[in-house]
Amino acid sequence: ERSTTRGAGRRFARVVAGDLPLFAVLAAFVAEPSTRDFALVNLGVQAVGFVLGACLPAYYTRVMACVDVAWSAGLLCLGVQALLFGDTGSPVLLVVAGIYLAVGGRGAMWGVVVAITDFPSDDMPRYHYRRLVWKREGYRSETLPMMHEILHQGLMNASILAAPAMLAVADPDARIGPVVVAGMVVWALGYAFESLADRQKAHFVKRSAGRTCDAGLWRYSRHPNYFFQWVQWHGLILVVLPSLVSLADDFAPLPWAGFAAALVAISAGMYYVVVHYTGAIPAEHFSVQHRADYRAYQQRVNRFFPGPNRSY
């Protein structure tokens, strides 16, 4: 019994350690008057969206992949809120809102189509991997960790992933300069190459089912779709970086530090997600088991960052 109590205490400590930084960033958004209303409204929007769109469906169907739709819809809502709270005469605001609408809209549309046409009776491999993690951590039921991880993703939408939208709203005088243009180019290339990777894999699977896709971009990275998704966030960071610099004199030191930390956390956090949490490593855990040629593919091709093939 004491061992069970200590295990529960350690799990609770890990939960708190993971959530507190996000709450701290959210507090910084609320402390800044120019972003307070946006932050509070967005917190409510994300909470309702994730509870109704992910927690309840996942609880009754045991399909955690519902959170993918809620996450994308949450990004779509951030784009809409940016337009509602910001000055639509600002070209930078329109660029930032457009990025959120494009990324969130594509994911949400895909999720709705799948839900209507072929709702999965079983979960995706990456969420089966999460169940293995929960079992290893000592959870006796999957309900509590599943609900927490869904809400944690909602908290990310309410905190660090909302930072670029709020910076664009807080800086209506922002202009499109070299850094913003560079960010737009980086985002556009990331979006185009992620879409290309998805199409290449879909085409390969149709004609070579059962084999590991090593065509096109998949010849240089085992997960080019995840890599270019990560690249897109860096494009968005570059677009709002001049606003972060220009707002240093307008924001109080702690809120400004919160926004700066949020942009850094987007890069590090999304890397962790697409590689370790629900991305590359969880996918490969099952690919090695189900595809005889996957180990050879791992030895030839980089896991995440694209690079030349290696001999083995």
Side-chain angles (χ1 to χ4, degrees):
E1 183 177 348
R2 290 180 180 177
S3 177
T4 301
T5 302
R6 286 196 297 269
R10 286 194 294 268
R11 290 195 296 270
F12 179 75
R14 286 196 296 269
V15 168
V16 171
D19 289 345
L20 278 181
L22 299 180
F23 280 114
V25 168
L26 179 58
F29 297 168
V30 175
E32 168 53 41
S34 62
T35 58
R36 180 177 299 141
D37 291 344
F38 190 167
L40 293 174
V41 170
N42 183 51
L43 177 62
V45 168
Q46 301 296 339
V48 171
F50 274 80
V51 170
L52 297 182
C55 286
L56 291 179
Y59 179 81
Y60 287 108
T61 65
R62 317 314 288 179
V63 176
M64 191 179 169
C66 300
V67 73
D68 293 356
V69 181
W71 183 74
S72 297
L75 296 181
L76 182 68
C77 289
L78 276 168
V80 173
Q81 290 173 94
L83 294 174
L84 293 176
F85 282 97
D87 179 4
T88 54
S90 167
V92 173
L93 175 79
L94 296 178
V95 169
V96 171
I99 290 175
Y100 278 104
L101 293 173
V103 174
R106 180 175 68 176
M109 185 178 301
W110 171 84
V112 170
V113 169
V114 170
I116 294 175
T117 59
D118 187 23
F119 189 88
S121 57
D122 194 14
D123 223 331
M124 293 182 175
R126 60 177 177 265
Y127 294 119
H128 282 301
Y129 184 86
R130 294 307 305 162
R131 288 171 169 86
L132 296 177
V133 172
W134 301 335
K135 185 177 181 180
R136 187 174 67 240
E137 291 179 346
Y139 285 99
R140 296 183 177 181
S141 168
E142 68 177 35
T143 300
L144 181 61
M146 181 168 62
M147 293 299 109
H148 170 257
E149 292 196 9
I150 289 173
L151 293 175
H152 183 80
Q153 293 193 45
L155 183 58
M156 287 185 67
N157 276 15
S159 56
I160 62 172
L161 298 184
M166 293 188 190
L167 285 170
V169 167
D171 188 20
D173 298 325
R175 294 293 179 262
I176 295 181
V179 177
V180 174
V181 171
M184 293 167 62
V185 171
V186 169
W187 178 81
L189 289 175
Y191 188 88
F193 280 117
E194 182 194 5
S195 302
L196 176 61
D198 288 338
R199 287 198 298 270
Q200 287 175 339
K201 186 169 186 178
H203 179 68
F204 183 92
V205 169
K206 285 182 180 179
R207 59 187 176 86
S208 305
R211 286 180 50 209
T212 297
C213 177
D214 59 355
L217 296 172
W218 300 84
R219 185 181 298 273
Y220 307 104
S221 167
R222 303 202 298 269
H223 302 279
N225 51 345
Y226 291 145
F227 172 76
F228 287 110
Q229 185 182 109
W230 185 64
V231 165
Q232 289 173 61
W233 285 103
H234 290 81
L236 184 56
I237 291 170
L238 282 174
V239 169
V240 298
L241 192 58
S243 294
L244 177 70
V245 174
S246 68
L247 291 169
D249 294 331
D250 299 328
F251 284 9
L254 286 179
W256 187 88
F259 277 97
L263 296 188
V264 174
I266 289 174
S267 176
M270 292 307 297
Y271 176 84
Y272 174 77
V273 168
V274 297
V275 174
H276 297 276
Y277 180 62
T278 59
I281 291 177
E284 294 192 3
H285 175 82
F286 296 102
S287 295
V288 169
Q289 299 175 23
H290 298 152
R291 296 178 193 163
D293 61 345
Y294 201 82
R295 288 195 184 278
Y297 179 63
Q298 286 178 313
Q299 293 175 341
R300 290 197 314 271
V301 180
N302 289 353
R303 180 174 65 189
F304 187 67
F305 294 98
N309 273 215
R310 302 183 298 271
S311 60
Y312 68 98

